[in-house]
């Protein structure tokens, strides 16, 4: 639903697919409740899906879960990054944790560190902090979009800031993100230290605390930040769009 949102679209409906060897009703019920809650947050309808039992295909207690969302936006109002220009402001909305990306590396990091998933961490358990549900930004962004023109948005999934943000700006532009603009949440510091993960790999795999990047005109920056805060978001002024080329800067992420 966040991927649909960044085109400026409103999510309309969602379908899910749940597959297992033998249906455990208690697990399936909790999964569907979670999907329904996500749809509620996204403002879309859960209109159906498929539950499949395939004995012999899945070990006991395991299941496969997938889904897809459909959204709508007027063609003339699609947000495609074509309005982005040098001088535009780049702001970020906080993530709730790693979201749904990097779990192969997360599992490896926990394994090599010898940590217990149930160990206390930051007011909860390590598992709680690593698997905090992905923040869904749909209603908040659509509300702000009614007030302020948004030039581009990037959902920070696999590839992190360094691979997702460049896709939404013109080829003749770059984005400068100031490393001091936000404090990386403790769970990412723990992952890097205990998993012995290089900084470049951290930037390429994880969102590092920024779940959504929004580009607006410089003159709309303050109004946009205030509007997102009014919607309950934690907002960071990350940087700006510039014309290429920009030399490397250790205090910035230049992408």
């Amino acid at each position: 639903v966040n991927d649909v949102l960044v085109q400026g679209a409103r999510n309309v409906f969602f379908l899910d697919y749940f597959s297992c060897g033998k249906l455990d009703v208690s697990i399936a019920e909790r999964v569907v409740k979670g999907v329904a809650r996500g749809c509620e947050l996204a403002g879309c309808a859960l209109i159906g899906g498929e539950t499949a039992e395939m004995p012999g295909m899945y070990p006991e207690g395991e299941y496969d879960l997938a889904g897809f969302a459909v959204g709508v936006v007027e063609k003339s109002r699609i947000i495609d990054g074509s309005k982005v220009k040098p001088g535009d402001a780049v702001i970020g909305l906080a993530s709730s944790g790693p979201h749904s990306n990097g779990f192969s590396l997360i599992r490896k990091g926990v394994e090599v560190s010898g940590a217990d998933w149930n160990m206390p961490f930051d007011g909860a358990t390590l598992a709680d902090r690593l698997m905090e549900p992905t923040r869904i930004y749909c209603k908040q962004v659509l509300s702000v979009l009614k007030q302020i023109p948004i030039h581009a948005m990037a959902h920070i999934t696999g590839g992190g800031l360094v691979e997702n943000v460049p896709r939404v700006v013109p080829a003749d532009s770059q984005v400068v993100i100031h490393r001091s603009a936000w404090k990386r949440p403790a769970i990412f510091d723990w992952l890097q230290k205990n998993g012995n993960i290089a900084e470049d790999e951290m930037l390429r795999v994880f969102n590092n605390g920024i779940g959504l990047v929004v580009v607006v005109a410089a003159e709309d920056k303050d109004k946009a930040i205030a509007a997102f805060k009014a919607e309950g978001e934690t907002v960071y002024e990350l940087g700006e769009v510039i014309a290429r080329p920009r030399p490397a800067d250790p205090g910035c992420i230049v992408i």
Side-chain angles (χ1 to χ4, degrees):
V1 293
N2 286 336
D3 289 336
V4 169
L5 171 70
V6 297
Q7 316 302 313
R10 174 176 60 87
N11 282 275
V12 179
F13 64 80
F14 186 91
L15 278 83
D16 66 73
Y17 170 79
F18 183 93
S19 179
C20 57
K22 180 174 175 55
L23 186 66
D24 183 323
V25 175
S26 65
I27 291 176
E29 182 181 18
R30 289 187 320 211
V31 168
V32 173
K33 280 185 177 179
V35 172
R37 174 61 177 156
C39 288
E40 181 184 359
L41 292 171
C44 66
L46 176 59
I47 64 171
E50 170 73 9
T51 300
E53 284 186 289
M54 294 187 285
M57 289 294 291
Y58 297 93
E60 183 178 351
E62 293 193 4
Y63 60 88
D64 191 20
L65 179 65
F68 73 92
V70 173
V72 294
V73 60
E74 292 289 343
K75 189 175 182 179
S76 61
R77 300 177 67 86
I78 292 175
I79 297 174
D80 59 5
S82 59
K83 295 181 179 179
V84 173
K85 62 184 185 302
D88 280 358
V90 179
I91 60 180
L93 306 186
S95 68
S96 54
H99 285 181
S100 302
N101 297 100
F103 273 87
S104 295
L105 188 54
I106 287 172
R107 292 200 311 272
K108 187 66 175 178
V110 174
E111 177 187 336
V112 299
S113 72
D116 182 344
W117 286 87
N118 294 311
M119 63 179 269
F121 187 87
D122 194 23
T125 67
L126 181 63
D128 289 333
R129 290 294 175 237
L130 288 171
M131 294 190 285
E132 189 76 30
T134 298
R135 187 156 181 78
I136 293 174
Y137 302 96
C138 299
K139 291 181 179 179
Q140 306 91 301
V141 169
L142 291 175
S143 175
V144 172
L145 191 55
K146 292 176 182 177
Q147 310 168 51
I148 300 153
I150 292 177
H151 289 178
M153 287 185 281
H155 183 206
I156 309 306
T157 55
L161 290 164
V162 297
E163 292 183 10
N164 286 288
V165 175
R167 291 206 298 258
V168 303
V169 299
D172 61 353
S173 298
Q174 286 180 289
V175 171
V176 176
I177 295 176
H178 302 282
R179 293 178 184 267
S180 60
W182 83 104
K183 178 174 173 54
R184 189 166 66 178
I187 191 62
F188 296 103
D189 292 337
W190 186 93
L191 280 169
Q192 181 169 27
K193 179 181 178 181
N194 290 275
N196 194 27
I197 303 170
E199 180 67 14
D200 285 351
E201 186 77 349
M202 289 292 297
L203 288 172
R204 190 166 55 248
V205 175
F206 301 115
N207 64 57
N208 290 282
I210 303 296
L212 193 77
V213 167
V214 180
V215 181
V216 298
E219 59 268 25
D220 291 329
K221 178 189 67 178
D222 292 340
K223 186 177 177 182
I225 290 173
F228 277 118
K229 286 182 176 179
E231 292 294 327
E233 294 298 318
T234 299
V235 191
Y236 302 100
E237 185 179 340
L238 296 180
E240 59 278 336
V241 177
I242 60 165
R244 286 184 181 274
R246 163 73 179 251
D249 183 335
C252 300
I253 303 168
V254 182
I255 46 182

